[in-house]
């Protein structure tokens, strides 16, 4: 019984961490979305100076561990004179990382739209950017919503890696409680449950939005 | 008469495959030209070169006295003057009929939304679809979709209209309503180039029929000449197959 009461008494402390996890994820997703949209389009560009860097970016960030990327941003950059606090460093690293994954999702989404849509837009005199903005991307985003939802969930879980650089998100706060109470199983399990509640909620929200957009 | 379009010795290849091997064509204001020919003969590619959806290797395309090629800087402005209707309609499915119509006028020509809506109503009336103004493309029949697509092109007040097999994807009973709209348009003085297999339409509205085969204009003449006395063996055999 002590195991359960430890979780309950420390719940407010842990929930503050969960709130930080959510904020961390939210800002990272925001960066990832903007970055991913442009890089995803860049991956499809016929212009080499746009296409090649986009491809290199995606391959490199997908091909290296997130833990290493976080370490580079937080521990490595200061040696180059760029000093970031733990929290912004985590947002930058997570955002850059998810940008690579979202870029691939966006690329697939754009490719899922029939070529005739782009041609019809251009034949009416729209520029490449206007065709993307008004015709291709709105349809693409509708198609990739499930994949984006997946990415949000992955990012929520991966944000726990920010604990290694001292961001006091959920995981880090759990470890604090454990050093005080030595209740490893119940605290880690309690944390797992809180993560699950967050990811499950996100997946429900995404599904709701998906349904609403299917109607429109 | 005013010359709208002139194509000189147009060559176009996809990789090593040469699709157009020297096409020549002149079209004057108010003319309707019907292009016929076997599939794979280069008809669609030819149309798509005119508004530069496809680049080409050599030759010239001159529209209203200006060359259209990959160096043309005001391509988007020129495209507003060349309407295009596709075989598969290509309506924007996430927009209503009205939104499909007013998008380009408001975003490209920058006319006000009120003005665009007014105009859309007039044009929808003309193609007989005013009651579908708030419908979405998914809820329209193929014939209605194609009429909306024509209306969308007309919104830009084009000087030239290109039709790329506009009735080929339609159920037979829906072909007539689309051809009616096209006939009206031709009679109202619109300059049109139509790729189609509808010989009845060609006979009624075409000023000239052009038979494109194996990348060249194999024969050209009035509907009478082409349909009654084709000179070319390939034209003869083609007409035998489709009539």
């Amino acid at each position: 019984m002590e195991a359960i009461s430890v979780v309950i008494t420390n719940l407010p402390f842990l929930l503050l961490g969960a709130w930080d996890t959510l904020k961390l994820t939210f800002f990272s997703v925001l960066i990832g979305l903007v970055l991913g949209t442009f890089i995803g389009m860049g991956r499809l560009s016929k212009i080499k100076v746009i296409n090649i860097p986009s491809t290199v970016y995606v391959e490199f960030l997908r091909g290296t561990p997130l833990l290493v990327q976080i370490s580079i941003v937080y521990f490595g950059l200061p040696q180059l004179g760029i000093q970031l606090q733990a929290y912004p460093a985590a947002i930058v690293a997570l955002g850059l990382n998810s940008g690579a994954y979202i870029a691939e999702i966006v690329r697939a989404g754009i490719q899922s739209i029939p070529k005739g849509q782009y041609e019809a837009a251009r034949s009416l005199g729209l520029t490449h950017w206007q065709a993307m903005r008004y015709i291709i991307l709105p349809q693409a985003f509708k198609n990739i919503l499930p994949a984006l939802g997946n990415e949000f969930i992955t990012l929520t879980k991966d944000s726990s890696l920010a604990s290694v650089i001292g961001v006091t998100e959920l995981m880090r706060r759990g470890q604090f409680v454990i050093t005080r109470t030595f209740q490893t199983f119940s605290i880690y399990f309690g944390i797992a449950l809180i993560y699950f509640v967050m990811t499950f909620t996100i997946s429900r929200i995404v599904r709701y939005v998906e349904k609403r957009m299917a109607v429109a | 008469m005013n010359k709208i379009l002139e194509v000189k010795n147009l060559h176009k290849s996809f990789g090593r495959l040469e699709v157009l091997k020297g096409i020549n064509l002149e079209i004057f204001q108010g003319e309707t030209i019907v292009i016929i020919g076997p599939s794979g003969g280069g008809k669609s590619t030819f149309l798509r070169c005119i508004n530069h959806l496809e680049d080409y290797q050599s030759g010239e395309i001159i529209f209203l006295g200006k060359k259209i090629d990959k160096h043309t800087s005001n391509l988007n402005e020129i495209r507003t003057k060349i309407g295009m209707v596709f075989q598969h309609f290509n309506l924007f499915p996430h927009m209503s009929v009205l939104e499909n119509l007013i998008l380009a006028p408001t975003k490209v020509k920058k006319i006000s939304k009120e003005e665009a809506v007014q105009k859309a109503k007039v044009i929808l009336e003309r193609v007989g679809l005013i009651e579908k103004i708030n419908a979405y493309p998914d809820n329209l029949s193929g014939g209605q979709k194609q009429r909306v697509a024509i209306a969308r092109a007309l919104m830009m007040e084009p000087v030239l209209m290109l039709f790329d097999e506009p009735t080929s994807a339609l159920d037979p009973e829906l072909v007539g309503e689309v051809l009616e709209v096209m006939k009206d348009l031709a009679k109202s003085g619109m300059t049109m180039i139509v790729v189609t297999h509808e010989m009845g339409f060609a006979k009624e509205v075409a000023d000239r029929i052009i038979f494109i085969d194996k990348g060249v204009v194999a024969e050209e003449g009035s509907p009478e000449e082409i349909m009654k006395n084709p000179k070319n063996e390939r034209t003869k055999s083609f007409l035998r197959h489709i009539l």
Side-chain angles (χ1 to χ4, degrees):
Chain A
M1 273 307 97
E2 198 203 331
I4 294 174
S5 67
V6 162
V7 175
I8 291 171
T9 38
N10 286 293
L11 200 57
F13 182 75
L14 290 176
L15 286 179
L16 277 178
W19 178 237
D20 265 346
T21 290
L22 281 178
K23 281 193 291 184
L24 191 60
T25 306
F26 176 78
F27 289 117
S28 307
V29 161
L30 223 55
I31 295 176
L33 266 180
V34 174
L35 214 56
T37 302
F38 283 101
I39 294 174
M41 285 193 282
R43 288 269 279 158
L44 293 168
S45 173
K46 286 188 191 115
I47 305 164
K48 282 202 172 106
V49 289
I50 297 173
N51 180 300
I52 292 173
S54 308
T55 305
V56 169
Y57 182 91
V58 169
E59 292 300 340
F60 186 75
L61 275 111
R62 280 199 313 181
T64 52
L66 179 54
L67 188 53
V68 175
Q69 293 165 11
I70 292 174
S71 303
I72 290 175
V73 173
Y74 186 64
F75 300 117
L77 286 186
Q79 250 192 349
L80 307 179
I82 303 167
Q83 197 108 32
L84 288 175
Q85 299 283 312
Y87 194 74
I91 289 176
V92 167
L94 286 167
L96 291 177
N97 180 272
S98 81
Y101 287 93
I102 292 177
E104 284 302 89
I105 296 171
V106 168
R107 179 180 63 82
I110 293 173
Q111 284 175 320
S112 75
I113 306 303
K115 217 174 152 228
Q117 290 288 307
Y118 181 76
E119 291 178 346
R122 294 307 301 273
S123 79
L124 287 164
L126 270 73
T127 64
H128 171 78
W129 288 109
Q130 287 175 321
M132 280 292 162
R133 183 173 156 201
Y134 297 113
I135 306 303
I136 305 301
L137 289 178
Q139 294 184 66
F141 272 104
K142 203 162 147 177
N143 289 355
I144 65 180
L145 211 60
L148 282 180
N150 249 336
E151 176 57 24
F152 295 170
I153 287 168
T154 303
L155 204 62
T156 309
K157 295 183 296 175
D158 285 353
S159 71
S160 61
L161 285 170
S163 61
V164 300
I165 57 170
V167 177
T168 53
E169 40 66 77
L170 180 55
M171 179 73 180
R172 182 76 174 163
R173 282 179 180 251
Q175 288 164 344
F176 285 155
V177 176
I178 287 168
T179 28
R180 257 194 293 115
T181 63
F182 302 108
Q183 292 291 340
T184 47
F185 180 80
S186 49
I187 294 299
Y188 277 134
F189 194 74
I191 291 173
L193 276 181
I194 298 175
Y195 272 115
F196 178 73
V197 168
M198 291 194 287
T199 55
F200 189 73
T201 310
I202 294 173
S203 101
R204 289 284 128 173
I205 293 172
V206 171
R207 188 171 297 179
Y208 174 76
V209 176
E210 227 175 283
K211 270 191 187 146
R212 283 208 44 175
M213 287 187 79
V215 178
Chain B
M1 270 207 296
N2 230 334
K3 193 187 284 183
I4 302 288
L5 180 77
E6 183 168 9
V7 178
K8 290 186 206 162
N9 201 21
L10 186 71
H11 287 260
K12 159 79 187 171
S13 311
F14 291 106
R16 242 181 278 166
L17 179 72
E18 192 171 35
V19 184
L20 303 179
K21 302 168 183 166
I23 300 258
N24 292 289
L25 174 77
E26 279 184 323
I27 179 162
F28 295 89
Q29 191 164 11
E31 269 193 309
T32 296
I33 291 185
V34 165
I35 299 179
I36 58 171
S39 45
K43 297 166 297 181
S44 291
T45 306
F46 173 58
L47 272 200
R48 294 159 56 83
C49 282
I50 293 174
N51 66 351
H52 210 73
L53 284 181
E54 300 281 356
D55 195 13
Y56 53 92
Q57 274 70 35
S58 67
E60 274 185 77
I61 294 175
I62 299 158
F63 174 69
L64 299 178
K66 280 185 190 154
K67 242 186 115 168
I68 298 183
D69 60 20
K70 58 174 166 268
H71 305 296
T72 306
S73 57
N74 60 339
L75 195 58
N76 293 321
E77 191 197 321
I78 288 174
R79 279 178 173 149
T80 65
K81 300 195 178 98
I82 305 177
M84 189 164 201
V85 175
F86 299 85
Q87 183 177 356
H88 296 287
F89 329 125
N90 298 348
L91 293 181
F92 307 132
H94 58 304
M95 295 179 174
S96 70
V97 167
L98 179 66
E99 288 165 336
N100 264 277
L101 261 61
I102 66 173
L103 176 78
T106 52
K107 302 298 175 192
V108 180
K109 281 193 167 174
K110 314 269 183 211
I111 72 170
S112 74
K113 195 180 168 196
E114 294 72 35
E115 198 184 332
V117 170
Q118 269 327 100
K119 196 168 177 168
K121 285 179 179 163
V122 172
I123 290 179
L124 281 174
E125 197 80 65
R126 186 167 164 196
V127 300
L129 285 172
I130 188 71
E131 78 279 11
K132 297 289 182 189
I133 189 163
N134 292 314
Y136 279 82
D138 281 350
N139 298 324
L140 300 177
S141 73
Q144 292 170 334
K145 281 183 197 170
Q146 197 59 299
R147 280 145 70 197
V148 171
I150 294 170
R152 181 175 69 180
L154 290 177
M155 286 291 289
M156 301 303 277
E157 298 179 340
V159 175
L160 172 66
M161 284 281 287
L162 309 174
F163 293 84
D164 189 5
E165 302 206 25
T167 58
S168 299
L170 296 177
D171 292 336
E173 77 270 21
L174 302 176
V175 169
E177 61 188 77
V178 173
L179 292 181
E180 273 315 308
V181 170
M182 290 168 62
K183 282 177 203 167
D184 279 351
L185 201 55
K187 282 167 191 161
S188 76
M190 177 63 76
T191 313
M192 307 179 15
I193 304 178
V194 185
V195 172
T196 185
H197 297 300
E198 295 292 334
M199 295 313 291
F201 172 82
K203 199 173 174 181
E204 194 179 330
V205 297
D207 295 292
R208 272 182 290 153
I209 294 182
I210 289 173
F211 178 66
I212 292 186
D213 184 32
K214 300 195 173 101
V216 294
V217 176
E219 189 159 355
E220 178 175 355
S222 69
E224 287 277 289
E225 288 166 353
I226 298 276
M227 289 163 89
K228 294 229 175 82
N229 291 307
K231 293 179 195 80
N232 189 306
E233 269 314 311
R234 269 143 57 195
T235 320
K236 272 183 207 166
S237 102
F238 175 77
L239 288 172
R240 254 203 317 277
H241 280 100
I242 65 161
L243 288 179

